[in-house]
Amino acid sequence: DAGVIQSPRHEVTEMGQEVTLRCKPISGHNSLFWYRQTMMRGLELLIYFNNNVPIDDSGMPEDRFSAKMPNASFSTLKIQPSEPRDSAVYFCASSLVTPGQGWPREQFFGPGTRLTVL
Amino acid sequence: LAKTTQPISMDSYEGQEVNITCSHNNIATNDYITWYQQFPSQGPRFIIQGYKTKVTNEVASLFIPADRKSSTLSLPRVSLSDTAVYYCLVAVRQTGANNLFFGTGTRLTVIP
């Protein structure tokens, strides 16, 4: 398996533009997580899905952020409009969660998307 | 909300055992405590997880006291390739949601 795939790897955009980050989880995994990493705030969970359904989006900063998972093999994180403070590395991770086997299970992270908003 | 505290950095010589502790309160009673390793420009990588007492795998051990207010990652005989940032990950059960919190991270530098 190729692991978790994220695209693009780097994105530079101007304030006010729409940004879409993409993630392909590991085949067979049923949970997907979006994280943001900055020097100031460290690694923060933004949202996670289980079986394509958003379970916890309490970490999404504000209405400018939205995430979707239309099927088991694809997810997007969209920022509209983007602001300089959104500059960060965004990670996608996937996991196989089986009821009754404990939480959280091992998460497999993608390489991340480094976003710079000018 | 869970507050996780880790030492910012640690130095160790090759071949020594390294213990990194994460302090956490208000974590979910029945959820795992997990540790990850992160190299520059890469995503975190799973090391080990446990619920209580001691867990050991081929690369590390994890010690969790009965009160679960802390956990200690033990790396035996570190090598230069273990230089990385190490994070604990804990779960907090909140109304209608399970949330996950990474620790602040400990930067381990292994010295030849």
Side-chain angles (χ1 to χ4, degrees), chain A residues 9 33 35 37 43 45 48 55-56 58-59 91 101-107 109-111 114, chain B residues 30-32 34 36 38 41-44 46 49 87 89 91 93-94 96-100 102:
Chain A
R9 292 294 308 277
F33 307 78
Y35 291 91
Q37 186 172 34
L43 272 161
L45 175 67
Y48 77 86
I55 303 300
D56 181 6
S58 57
F91 289 105
Q101 288 196 350
W103 166 265
R105 303 302 297 174
E106 176 180 357
Q107 295 178 47
F109 282 75
R114 181 174 296 277
Chain B
N30 299 315
D31 292 335
Y32 282 114
T34 313
Y36 286 83
Q38 186 177 30
S41 300
Q42 295 185 24
F46 175 90
Q49 70 180 171
Y87 295 93
L89 174 66
R93 300 264 177 163
Q94 304 180 88
N98 302 336
N99 212 333
L100 301 175
F102 272 95

Side-chain angles (χ1 to χ4, degrees), chain A residues 1 5 10-11 16 19 22 28-29 32 35 37-38 55 63 69 79 83 90 92-93 99-100 105 108 112 116:
Chain A
D1 199 314
I5 299 172
H10 302 273
E11 176 82 27
V19 175
R22 297 173 176 80
H29 283 186
L32 183 139
Y35 291 91
Q37 186 172 34
T38 62
I55 303 300
D63 292 344
M69 192 164 187
I79 308 172
E83 298 182 3
Y90 291 81
C92 174
R105 303 302 297 174
F108 295 80
T116 302

Side-chain angles (χ1 to χ4, degrees), chain B residues 26-79:
Chain B
N26 298 325
I27 67 171
T29 303
N30 299 315
D31 292 335
Y32 282 114
I33 298 166
T34 313
W35 283 79
Y36 286 83
Q37 175 192 55
Q38 186 177 30
F39 296 111
S41 300
Q42 295 185 24
R45 185 173 69 176
F46 175 90
I47 301 173
I48 195 169
Q49 70 180 171
Y51 167 63
K52 58 182 178 181
T53 62
K54 177 182 176 181
V55 179
T56 297
N57 63 20
E58 63 276 10
V59 298
S61 294
L62 178 59
F63 300 91
I64 303 171
D67 66 5
R68 289 170 46 89
K69 291 186 180 300
S70 67
S71 59
T72 299
L73 173 71
S74 181
L75 303 173
R77 300 179 297 281
V78 294
S79 64

